[in-house]
Amino acid sequence: MSKILVTGSAGFIGSHLTELLLKNGFEVIGLDNINDYYDVNLKFGRLYKAGIKQSSIEYNELITSEINKNYQFIKLNLEDRENLNTLFNNEKFDIVVNLAAQAGVRYSIENPMAYIESNIVGFTNILESCRHYSIKNLVYASSSSVYGLNKEMPFSTNDNVDHPISLYAASKKSNELMAHTYSYLYNLPTTGLRFFTVYGPWGRPDMALFIFTKAILEGRPIQVYNYGNMQRDFTYIDDIVQGILKVIENPPKGKQTTEKASESVAPYKIYNIGNSAPVKLMDFIEAIEKNLKITAQKEMLPLQAGDVEKTYADVTGLMEDLNYKPEIDIEAGVNNFIEWYKSFYKKD
């Protein structure tokens, strides 16, 4: 049985991935600092679902799930190099999935240092621990935001991503470069996943689906940026974690030589992970309205700083290499989210 460290395990993607890994027979240790970037009650709710009670959580203390002995959780900052190193030394992980990060494009404009500390310093500590403790595979979260104002559609991993338009995007591009360095120097297999607008039950409160649903149910207008002329490659959470599982089970292999200057000999891969079917923002809103049977009041606003009009993932790499195939359409995904939202927040 492989032992996996999942950082960001109280987060949206991390909590779903932890559940899937446990179902597939892995031993999992989840790590999260449970910061207050958004409502911590949602994070504690995800942990409670996995058998971790809020009252039992202490900083840098491993606790075992009450419902699955193969799951343990530790509250820890990635920036805490000493305790992170001790954790790696004690637990002898086989695989690391680093999903812990300071998220959010707009927030990075207001609070840049949070991104340097978590996404740069924290990720460096992960790389160092993986290097020194012979991790067999490091999978880490990148982001579709690295594509910036790229006009070529769909976004391809072969596209130039040297012009980020937010510090969040820059931090994620930095992670890719740092990972490649460690793959090359220390033969550490690393795979970066550029996530495209993940949504679904237990989703983040700063994402459009959550914001829109909450506002509509409370009778408040929703803010529609770029006057509604937006498209997003919305990707359902189950499709995302199934894709991550495939990557976990298939670490990249290095090459002796390469024919192209753009290719690397290191055991290193970058994949887009998305639905590869962009949805118009107004169609997305319509799906929410249809489910709620309420027409939203709309406040039409200009494009926000650091935001882009359209995202569209070319997932050819994942499909060809690992047989990745997203299956959940937008209407089913939105319905599943709203059903969860009403249940969690006790809305009729």
Side-chain angles (χ1 to χ4, degrees):
M1 179 190 297
S2 293
K3 181 184 280 192
I4 300 185
L5 172 66
V6 177
T7 74
S9 64
F12 175 32
I13 299 175
S15 60
H16 280 271
L17 178 63
T18 295
E19 186 175 348
L20 180 64
L21 291 173
L22 291 168
K23 285 179 181 176
N24 279 270
F26 291 95
E27 184 179 352
V28 180
I29 290 183
L31 178 154
D32 204 293
N33 67 358
I34 318 179
N35 68 28
D36 61 359
Y37 168 63
Y38 61 77
D39 183 10
V40 294
N41 291 318
L42 183 55
K43 298 181 181 183
F44 286 127
R46 295 175 185 136
L47 290 171
Y48 183 79
K49 184 169 177 279
I52 305 293
K53 290 183 178 178
Q54 179 179 348
S55 58
S56 65
I57 297 172
E58 299 286 344
Y59 188 79
N60 196 36
E61 294 290 333
L62 263 177
I63 51 176
T64 302
S65 165
E66 295 184 359
I67 61 176
N68 192 325
K69 62 181 177 57
N70 288 327
Y71 180 52
Q72 292 180 288
F73 175 80
I74 186 167
K75 181 180 179 181
L76 192 65
N77 288 314
L78 293 187
E79 304 95 293
D80 186 346
R81 183 171 60 181
E82 183 177 346
N83 283 318
L84 185 68
N85 189 66
T86 300
L87 179 69
F88 271 77
N89 182 57
N90 292 344
E91 297 303 325
K92 307 296 187 289
F93 301 113
D94 299 297
I95 297 162
V96 174
V97 182
N98 185 59
L99 302 175
Q102 180 57 59
V105 170
R106 293 168 193 150
Y107 187 73
S108 70
I109 295 170
E110 303 164 15
N111 297 276
M113 291 311 299
Y115 292 77
I116 300 303
E117 291 164 5
S118 178
N119 300 5
I120 303 299
V121 175
F123 189 63
T124 303
N125 292 340
I126 285 288
L127 288 169
E128 277 288 284
S129 293
C130 287
R131 164 200 172 191
H132 288 294
Y133 293 99
S134 303
I135 298 302
K136 299 182 181 73
N137 192 10
L138 167 62
V139 182
Y140 62 95
S142 186
S143 169
S144 61
S145 66
V146 301
Y147 290 105
L149 298 174
N150 186 10
K151 300 298 182 186
E152 296 293 324
M153 297 289 166
F155 294 163
S156 167
T157 53
N158 294 319
D159 293 342
N160 183 293
V161 289
D162 290 341
H163 303 98
I165 60 170
S166 70
L167 188 63
Y168 171 66
S171 73
K172 289 302 184 180
K173 170 64 176 175
S174 299
N175 287 172
E176 295 178 2
L177 295 170
M178 294 159 70
H180 179 267
T181 303
Y182 275 72
S183 292
Y184 181 80
L185 290 175
Y186 309 113
N187 201 38
L188 170 66
T190 68
T191 304
L193 296 173
R194 294 175 177 172
F195 293 114
F196 280 73
T197 318
V198 188
Y199 75 103
W202 297 96
R204 281 177 16 211
D206 62 330
M207 300 296 283
L209 179 54
F210 200 113
I211 293 169
F212 290 163
T213 299
K214 185 174 189 292
I216 292 170
L217 285 173
E218 293 175 358
R220 296 183 288 105
I222 60 174
Q223 295 183 325
V224 182
Y225 293 109
N226 202 35
Y227 308 104
N229 298 312
M230 305 270 275
Q231 292 186 54
R232 286 291 179 270
D233 201 343
F234 292 103
T235 314
Y236 191 67
I237 184 61
D238 289 5
D239 290 328
I240 287 288
V241 295
Q242 288 290 345
I244 299 174
L245 179 60
K246 289 178 182 292
V247 172
I248 287 170
E249 295 175 334
N250 294 276
K253 297 177 175 60
K255 303 175 183 178
Q256 293 297 319
T257 60
T258 63
E259 295 180 2
K260 299 178 182 178
S262 61
E263 291 182 343
S264 172
V265 297
Y268 168 87
K269 290 290 290 188
I270 295 291
Y271 289 118
N272 287 334
I273 183 164
N275 199 48
S276 198
V279 174
K280 293 179 180 178
L281 180 57
M282 299 310 293
D283 291 342
F284 185 65
I285 293 169
E286 186 177 324
I288 302 170
E289 292 173 324
K290 181 179 177 182
N291 178 284
L292 295 176
K293 298 180 174 60
I294 302 171
T295 300
Q297 307 168 55
K298 301 173 184 72
E299 182 183 356
M300 310 304 278
L301 297 168
L303 189 69
Q304 298 293 287
D307 217 342
V308 297
E309 289 188 17
K310 182 178 180 180
T311 63
Y312 179 3
D314 178 351
V315 296
T316 303
L318 261 186
M319 293 174 69
E320 291 182 349
D321 292 354
L322 304 178
N323 197 31
Y324 170 73
K325 188 176 184 295
E327 297 179 348
I328 308 298
D329 65 31
I330 198 72
E331 189 165 310
V334 166
N335 290 349
N336 290 345
F337 170 82
I338 293 174
E339 182 179 342
W340 164 80
Y341 182 92
K342 288 181 173 179
S343 173
F344 187 76
Y345 290 101
K346 305 296 187 292
K347 302 287 185 180
D348 296 328

